[in-house]
């Protein structure tokens, strides 16, 4: 064999050996980088957010309305109850099945049909007897049920409360706020829509510390049922701050907090979903500080390590408040009272909360406004920054001439414009006078509804990602307004563009 | 006397042959030469002219005839008898490589006259070393077996110098009386090469003629026929002709006995041959017996012709034959001779040989012990159901039925041909006396052994050194590939491991064909194609992997020895691929799709396993202890390249290239370098293992031939160190064998899955497995999901997975419906996935997390937690079982596989949309059949008016017969098969569900069976038909008849 051939062969062997190293170096990714990609389902991501809408074509959509009060067994009055508002913004008829869960009885099933671009209001309390009724509303249509949204209105003598229905059950729910002072009533309304029993552990946090009542450890939510837990009966009576953490050992469920405030600075009624997950970045769009409402932000750390949270106030040039740094210990709630923050303006502002170190947190916002005759308390969940979107949708209508009906906050550093479109039998039409709303960068803007414009269901579209909160007036009880975030439309083309 | 010489394939010895003829002291010798074409030659071949010129130069008076083609020795020599008139003469038939001593002819003539023999032959001695005996006549037993009388290497010490009767003399040189020769009809025209002397002598004996050996007549004989004519498989031909001679020459009264004897001996030899590498010879003989009997007419004619010569009884002929078995006699004699030789041989040489034998024996004793110890519990306790090692529960009948039916029961079933592998397993099960579990255990335990033996066999082509072969065999056994495959349940890897040495052997043989003719290429391609086809029937990716191996092998060869040295290899490889594909037709048509690659390589998880380069190069799947020890073999292979010379260097380079290329591919697969999936890492690494073993052989061979005895330098210590390093992985091999199961887990998912009952009263059902493709107990498909990771899924019928589920199911409307539902599941579109899959019979959704083999608690394979989250919020799925290993959900909305639908279900079955299914509550369906057997043509149902839903893809071939009337099927739910039962049918009526097999399927099955038989027969030389003898066509020469010289005429009267 010639020397040249021998050298060529040796080079070939060396080359292929180098190929092994190249194959390793060029293609290798850190194993730890691969593992997060194992989450193939989007369900967990959706479940981690408060209710959202989607325009993606889906086979069916399911909405879990957390419940409305019934007044108890044998109650025959008319001031308890509630409705589910099913909005169909699509051009196709939707059909659906409503399954109602009442404590102590078997689920009831009805079917509904929702005409294109129409609303159906479902009377949830019709024909049922118990303390609460919750509902699962499954919708499907010719081209899927994407785009539909469902919200609920809970009626109570102290005033009604609005809440968007949840997208999915979760294995954990958190409530940063809670209030049992002055014999205020705080119920946890827990719905298990699954065919499996769900076993939960409930822990709550007061100023004195964390408690885990033994009856609430391994608490069983039977399959397809609704259960109610009165927090006050679990040793948390007379507390001005009760954060609640509910985790499932197995299964998933829907958790809402029904709150009847009877004094010590709070009055009225709210029935709100908890937060299905903690987040690191939150927005609280507070509204107008004019009138000096009693306003506080509750920050709950359900994690195992303490969290360092920075609190920034912004929204207008008038904001002169200094940023705060909060240390939120593990399994504790820290409240920030706006009354104690110097430099806040009497105009609109927002609060940004970011976890700098430690575990994610849950943020709730409590406002008690002093009205002419009494005070009215409103509670809303903060908005995780992931909810910022260019389109928002509402099934709850708004009457014409309503001042400051919406609050739109531009989360970006770029000036934007927003427009409101009415969705009705005639299609999607721009709301006259609301076609071009300037939303400056980093600022909240109130939107008032012009006279003569009734919006049954509507959509807010912005050129930049925004947050939209509705101020829904209460027509009964203590009055005032309920702060209810609209539903961001996620997963749309516009959303992906803006995200990129 | 006419001396007739057939000259073929000119060689350097011809001149000596001619000179010897010219130097004969016998005066009246007429020389006739028949020059036949050289292989690949033509009539205008200059070599023929050169040969003729050489003959005429030495023997100017010789008659030379050019024979077109090469019709064979006997038929050509018959031409001499035709050319010469008269009976009072002698024919001296000679090979062209026989150099007679000057007195040889006269001595034979003299003895013939003295003994009145019909045929005599000389003492044949070795061409190069005349002191070595070659033949002094041949003994033959009743079955035609030859006893060579002299031992290989036996020196001529005049021990055989007595004139005597023998049964036969070699055709290399025989002197025969012309009258006798004509009376018996000359050489058989049906025997071209091999065995013509036995046939002729047998017929001579029938006429009462004597056959004698005349040791005083000496001839040197080169006897290297196969070297000169690689096309002719002389051993095979001899076997065939032996059988034909015996069957023709035996008296009718003993015919049945001799047939039974031939068959019995062949069967015994075949069984023994499994261990002594002589099975092919026995198979050839067996085939010859049956082949000859089948051609009854031909046999009858031949027997009539031969028996008409008979003047003596068979008993007298048997007295001339070797008593008992000639083979046993010669074996015992050889054994005695070896014992004698051992005592006599040079002491140093004997010690050296013994040393080598000791090495080989030690290696095989060690490997034997390791394999026995390593698999003892697998044999005693059984193989665990882990990975692909599903229990074999199907009988050969059910496998055969499914194969013939044209309905593939895997997954939801499909109206397509069944995989060839089912038929192969069916055949194996048949030969296991109907015990499929035995087949499974033997396959699991035996495939590794097959691979190791293959490496030993392959080593013969690489080196003459037994020590080097033993080292290579040991290295191949030490590679943790086979026992990791056993531990993790990978049929594909085991099959590749068992096959790779044989593929390398085929490469080597194809590459070494001196003159690759089309027939050569075809036969070798068929052999390799058979291997490839058999493996591809179970692991389709083996075909492209083998092609890459061939390219690497050819590249190494071309670089070392030039492109021309590739010879027949490209043709053989291409042919084998075609054969492999054809043997799997029509099932292989399943892969003719746009996404064929993903089907070939199996389910694509979307990401590499990311095990890391060290684990990949260590062949470590996670179960082996001390696997990194094998890394030293890479160093050994590298050293082999550095120290080896000449042919060893070529082999070392081939080994190194194979190892490096496939190691790189395996690493690329692990890291997903190319962005698309590659075949399973273990399958790739099988060739790397082969390359490493080849490197070890080359190193040890080089140590003996290139390093030892050379001038001392760096090569000696380096090679010695590398040789010692070969022994390092011995310890891991022994350690991993210690538990008796090759580290296979004792329990696995199957024990947990037993809770899913088979054929429950509430109806048959399906199980949907979701998760990482590596962990699914059936052949998975994958579904693109968000992120890189693809969701694997597989569907099985109730109970644990079966053999039918081991091939990826076809894409059908049912599969599409399932995939749609799964897409909705992973994208969170609907909480009613249970309802979407209910008509498909899916009752359980199982998510395996840890199987104890490829996924362990210490190193779990990625489980898509998002999937678990998605399942958790499904409204129809009830959690049945949850542990760290496994998650089982029951679909409360399920409908039995064969179900009488509820009213709501019947109504919903007429629609075909997900939207409808989401809102449809199908509960309330009752089973119309419990124990539905997919793959069976007819099944009994119990029906009532309404709709019967069978959760199989719609096909018009499904019909339902009730009281003699046939109901056509219709698509139900857009995905399954439905039957509308009229109201006139009484509740509880018996009905027959039938699948009509397409005629084309019958044709396919027959064609495929024929192809396998054809390939087997051709590849292993088991021809049913003989080659038709070529007619003798003499191209030139005048027709003037020759006559014998006057001196010859007196012989008969003497």
């Amino acid at each position: 064999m010639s020397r040249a051939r021998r050298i060529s062969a040796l080079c070939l062997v060396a080359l292929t050996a180098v190929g092994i190293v190249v194959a390793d170096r060029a293609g290798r990714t850190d194993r730890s980088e691969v593992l997060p990609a194992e989450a193939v389902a989007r369900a967990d991501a959706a479940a981690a957010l408060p209710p959202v809408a989607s325009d993606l074509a889906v086979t069916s959509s399911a909405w879990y309305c957390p419940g409305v009060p019934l007044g108890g067994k044998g109650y025959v009055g008319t001031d308890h109850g509630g409705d589910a508002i099913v909005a169909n913004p699509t051009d196709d008829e939707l059909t659906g099945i409503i399954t109602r869960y009442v404590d102590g009885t078997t689920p009831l099933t009805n079917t509904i049909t929702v005409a294109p671009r129409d609303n159906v209001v479902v009377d949830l309390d019709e024909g049922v007897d118990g303390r609460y009724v919750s509902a699962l509303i499954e919708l499907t249509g010719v081209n899927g049920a994407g785009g539909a949204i469902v919200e609920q209105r809970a009626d109570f003598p102290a005033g009604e409360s609005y809440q968007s229905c949840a997208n999915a059950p979760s294995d954990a729910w958190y409530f940063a706020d809670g209030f049992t002072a002055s014999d205020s009533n705080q119920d946890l309304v827990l719905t298990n829509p699954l065919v499996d029993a769900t076993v939960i552990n409930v822990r709550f946090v007061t100023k004195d510390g964390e408690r885990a009542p033994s009856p609430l450890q391994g608490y069983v939510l039977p399959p397809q049922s609704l259960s109610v837990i009165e927090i006050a009966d679990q040793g948390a009576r007379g507390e001005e701050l009760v954060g609640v953490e509910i985790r499932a050992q197995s299964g998933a469920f829907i958790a809402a907090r029904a709150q009847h405030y009877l004094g010590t600075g709070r009055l009225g009624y709210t029935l709100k979903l908890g937060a299905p997950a903690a987040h690191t970045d939150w927005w609280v769009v507070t509204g107008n500080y004019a009138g000096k409402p009693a306003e506080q932000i509750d920050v709950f750390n359900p994690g195992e390590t303490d969290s360092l949270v920075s609190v920034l106030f912004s929204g207008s040039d008038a904001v002169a408040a200094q940023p705060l740094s909060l240390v939120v210990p593990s399994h504790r709630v820290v409240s920030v009272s706006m009354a104690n923050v110097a430099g806040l303006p009497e105009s609109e502002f927002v609060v940004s909360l970011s976890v700098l170190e430690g575990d994610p947190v849950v943020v709730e916002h409590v406002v008690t406004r002093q009205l002419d005759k009494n005070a009215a308390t409103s509670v809303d969940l903060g908005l995780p920054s992931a909810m910022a979107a260019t389109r928002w949708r509402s099934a709850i209508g708004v009457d014409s001439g309503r001042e400051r009906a919406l609050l739109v906050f531009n989360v970006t550093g770029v000036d934007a414009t927003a427009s409101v479109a009415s969705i009705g039998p005639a299609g999607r039409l721009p709301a006259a006078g609301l076609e071009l709303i300037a939303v400056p960068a980093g600022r909240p803007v109130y939107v008032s509804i012009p006279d003569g414009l009734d919006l049954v269901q509507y959509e807010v579209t912005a050129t930049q990602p925004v947050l939209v909160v509705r101020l829904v007036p209460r027509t009964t009880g203590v009055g005032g307004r309920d702060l209810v975030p609209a539903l961001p439309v996620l997963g749309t083309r516009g959303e992906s563009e803006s995200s990129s | 006397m006419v001396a007739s010489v057939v000259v073929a394939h000119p060689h350097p010895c011809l001149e000596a042959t001619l000179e010897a003829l010219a130097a004969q002291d016998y005066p009246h010798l007429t020389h006739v030469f028949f020059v036949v074409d050289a292989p690949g030659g033509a009539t205008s071949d200059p070599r023929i002219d050169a040969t003729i010129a050489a003959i005429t130069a030495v023997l100017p008076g010789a008659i030379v005839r050019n024979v077109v083609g090469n019709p064979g020795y006997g038929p050509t020599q018959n031409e001499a008898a035709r050319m010469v008139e008269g009976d009072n003469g002698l024919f001296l038939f000679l090979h062209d490589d026989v150099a007679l001593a000057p007195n040889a002819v006269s001595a034979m003539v003299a003895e013939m006259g003295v003994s009145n023999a019909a045929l005599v032959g000389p003492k044949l001695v070795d061409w190069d070393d005349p002191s070595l005996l070659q033949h002094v006549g041949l003994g033959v037993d009743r079955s035609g077996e030859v006893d060579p009388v002299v031992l290989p290497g036996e020196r001529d010490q005049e021990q055989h110098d007595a004139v005597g009767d023998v049964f036969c003399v070699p055709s290399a040189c025989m002197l025969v009386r012309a009258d006798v020769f004509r009376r018996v009809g000359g050489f058989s025209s049906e025997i071209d090469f091999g065995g013509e002397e036995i046939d002729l002598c047998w017929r001579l004996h029938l006429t009462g003629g004597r056959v004698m050996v005349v040791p005083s007549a000496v001839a040197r004989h080169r006897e290297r026929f196969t070297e000169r004519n690689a096309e002719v498989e002389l051993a095979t031909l001899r076997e065939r002709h032996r059988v034909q001679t015996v069957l023709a020459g035996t008296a009718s009264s003993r015919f049945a006995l001799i047939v039974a004897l031939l068959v019995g001996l062949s069967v015994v030899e075949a069984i023994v041959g499994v261990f002594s590498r002589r099975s092919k010879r026995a198979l050839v003989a067996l085939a010859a017996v049956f082949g000859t009997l089948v051609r009854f007419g031909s046999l009858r004619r031949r027997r009539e012709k031969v028996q008409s010569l008979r003047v003596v009884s068979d008993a007298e002929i048997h007295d001339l034959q070797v008593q008992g078995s000639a083979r046993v006699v010669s074996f015992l004699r050889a054994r005695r001779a070896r014992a004698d030789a051992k005592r006599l041989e040079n002491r140093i040489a004997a010690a050296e040989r013994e040393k080598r034998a000791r090495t080989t024996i030690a290696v095989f004793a060690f490997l034997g012990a390791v394999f026995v110890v390593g698999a003892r519990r697998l044999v005693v306790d059984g193989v665990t159901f882990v990975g692909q090692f599903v229990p074999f529960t199907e009988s050969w009948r059910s496998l055969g039925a499914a194969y013939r039916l044209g309905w593939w029961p895997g997954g939801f079933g499909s109206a397509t041909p069944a995989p060839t592998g089912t038929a192969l397993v069916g055949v194996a099960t048949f030969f296991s006396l109907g015990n499929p579990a035995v087949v499974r255990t033997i396959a699991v335990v035996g495939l590794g052994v097959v691979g190791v033996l293959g490496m030993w066999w392959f080593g013969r082509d690489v080196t003459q050194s037994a020590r080097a072969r033993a080292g290579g065999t040991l290295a191949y056994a030490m590679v943790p590939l086979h026992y990791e495959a056993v531990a993790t349940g990978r049929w594909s890897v085991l099959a590749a491991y068992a096959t790779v040495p044989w593929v390398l052997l085929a490469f080597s043989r194809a590459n070494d064909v001196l003159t690759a003719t089309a027939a050569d290429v075809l036969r070798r391609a068929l052999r390799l194609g058979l291997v490839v086809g058999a493996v591809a029937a179970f692991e389709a990716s083996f075909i492209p992997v083998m092609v890459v191996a061939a390219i690497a092998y050819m590249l190494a060869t071309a670089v070392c020895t030039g492109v021309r040295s590739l010879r027949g290899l490209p043709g053989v490889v291409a042919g084998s691929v075609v054969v492999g594909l054809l043997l799997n037709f029509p099932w292989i048509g399943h892969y003719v799709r746009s996404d064929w690659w993903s089907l070939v390589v199996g389910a694509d998880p979307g990401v590499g396993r990311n095990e890391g380069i060290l684990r990949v190069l260590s062949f470590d799947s996670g179960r082996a202890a001390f696997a990194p020890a094998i890394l030293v073999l890479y160093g050994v292979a590298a050293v082999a390249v550095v120290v080896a010379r000449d042919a060893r260097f070529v082999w070392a380079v081939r080994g190194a290239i194979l190892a490096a290329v496939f190691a790189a591919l395996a690493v690329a697969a692990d890291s997903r370098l190319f962005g698309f999936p590659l075949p399973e890492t273990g399958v790739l690494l099988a060739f790397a293992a082969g390359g490493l073993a080849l490197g070890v052989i080359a190193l040890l061979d080089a140590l003996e031939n290139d390093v030892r005895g050379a001038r001392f330098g760096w090569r000696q210590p380096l090679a010695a160190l590398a040789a010692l390093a070969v022994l390092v992985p011995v310890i891991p091999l022994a350690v991993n064998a210690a538990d008796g199961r090759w580290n296979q887990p004792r329990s696995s998912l199957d024990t947990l899955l037993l809770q899913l009952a088979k054929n429950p009263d509430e109806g048959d059902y399906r199980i949907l497995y979701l998760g990482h493709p590596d962990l699914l107990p059936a052949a998975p498909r994958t579904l693109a999901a968000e992120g890189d990771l693809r969701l694997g899924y597989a569907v099985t019928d109730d109970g644990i997975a079966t053999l039918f589920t081991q091939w990826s199911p076809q894409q059908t409307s049912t599969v599409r419906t399932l995939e749609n539902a799964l897409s909705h599941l992973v994208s969170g579109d609907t909480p009613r996935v249970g309802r979407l899959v209910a008509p498909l019979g899916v009752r359980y959704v199982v998510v395996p997390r840890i199987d104890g083999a490829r996924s362990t608690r210490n190193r779990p394979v990625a489980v898509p937690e998002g999937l678990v989250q998605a399942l958790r919020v499904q409204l129809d799925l009830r959690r049945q079982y949850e542990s760290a290993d496994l998650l089982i959900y029951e679909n409360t909305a399920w409908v039995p596989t064969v179900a009488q639908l509820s009213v709501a279900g019947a109504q919903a079955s007429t629609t075909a949309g997900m939207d409808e299914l989401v809102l449809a509550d199908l509960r309330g369906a009752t089973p119309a059949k419990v124990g539905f057997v997919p793959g069976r043509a007819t099944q009994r149902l119990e029906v009532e008016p309404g709709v019967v839903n069978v959760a199989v893809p719609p096909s018009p071939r499904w019909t339902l017969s009730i009281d003699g009337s046939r109901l056509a099927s219709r698509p139900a739910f857009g995905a399954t098969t439905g039957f509308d039962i009229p109201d006139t049918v009484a509740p509880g009526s018996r009905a027959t569900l039938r699948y009509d097999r397409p005629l084309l399927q019958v044709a396919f099955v027959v064609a495929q069976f024929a192809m396998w038989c054809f390939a087997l027969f051709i590849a292993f030389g088991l021809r049913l038909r003989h080659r038709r003898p070529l007619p003798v066509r003499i191209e030139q020469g005048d027709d003037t008849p020759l006559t014998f010289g006057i001196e010859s005429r007196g012989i008969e009267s003497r």
Side-chain angles (χ1 to χ4, degrees), chain A residues 6 28 60 138 141 196, chain B residues 645 670 824 829 832 879 915:
Chain A
R6 189 176 176 85
R28 190 69 65 193
S60 70
E138 296 171 80
D196 249 338
Chain B
R645 290 281 181 272
D670 185 61
H824 293 307
D829 284 351
R832 290 293 188 184
R879 198 174 53 257
D915 305 332

Side-chain angles (χ1 to χ4, degrees), chain B residues 150-213:
Chain B
V150 298
L151 296 166
E154 185 175 346
R155 294 205 172 271
D156 184 7
Q157 296 167 321
E158 302 179 357
Q159 69 272 38
H160 294 293
D161 276 2
V163 174
D165 286 288
V166 291
F167 192 85
C168 174
V169 297
S171 62
C173 178
M174 53 171 52
L175 182 69
V176 60
R177 277 168 39 188
D179 58 334
V180 178
F181 188 74
R182 292 191 200 283
R183 194 187 317 150
V184 299
F187 287 106
S188 170
S189 60
E190 295 181 25
I191 298 178
D192 45 6
F193 298 102
E196 64 275 351
E197 66 271 67
I198 299 174
D199 185 78
L200 176 66
C201 292
W202 199 304
R203 280 182 283 134
L204 281 174
H205 286 301
L206 286 175
T207 63
R210 292 182 75 183
V211 177
M212 302 188 74
V213 64

Side-chain angles (χ1 to χ4, degrees), chain B residues 845-986:
Chain B
V845 179
V846 178
V847 182
R849 289 164 158 159
I850 293 172
D851 65 353
R854 304 189 87 185
S855 176
T856 59
R857 293 182 197 285
N858 292 334
R859 195 169 179 81
V861 167
V863 172
E865 292 300 334
L867 167 71
V868 176
Q869 170 69 19
L871 288 171
R872 204 153 45 86
V873 297
Q874 287 297 313
L875 296 172
D876 297 306
L877 301 187
R878 175 187 291 134
R879 198 174 53 257
Q880 176 93 359
Y881 178 85
E882 182 168 14
S883 72
D885 301 343
L886 188 68
L887 187 61
I888 302 177
Y889 280 99
E890 182 184 14
N891 179 15
T892 57
W894 75 290
V895 170
T897 306
V898 184
Q900 182 82 43
L901 295 179
S902 64
V903 174
Q907 191 176 355
S909 73
T910 58
T911 61
M914 292 275 172
D915 305 332
E916 301 292 337
L917 276 177
V918 164
L919 300 182
D921 188 352
L922 304 184
R923 286 177 296 183
T926 56
K929 163 84 179 173
V930 174
F932 177 70
V933 182
R936 184 180 290 174
T938 57
Q939 319 212 30
R940 296 277 183 191
L941 310 186
E942 199 167 291
V943 300
E944 59 187 66
V947 174
V948 168
N949 178 60
V950 185
V952 297
S955 166
R957 295 195 171 277
W958 285 106
T959 56
L960 193 68
S961 302
I962 307 173
D963 297 333
S965 61
R966 291 184 117 188
L967 297 179
S969 63
R970 67 164 171 84
F973 305 102
T976 62
T977 299
F979 296 96
D980 294 314
I981 313 295
D983 293 339
T984 53
V985 172

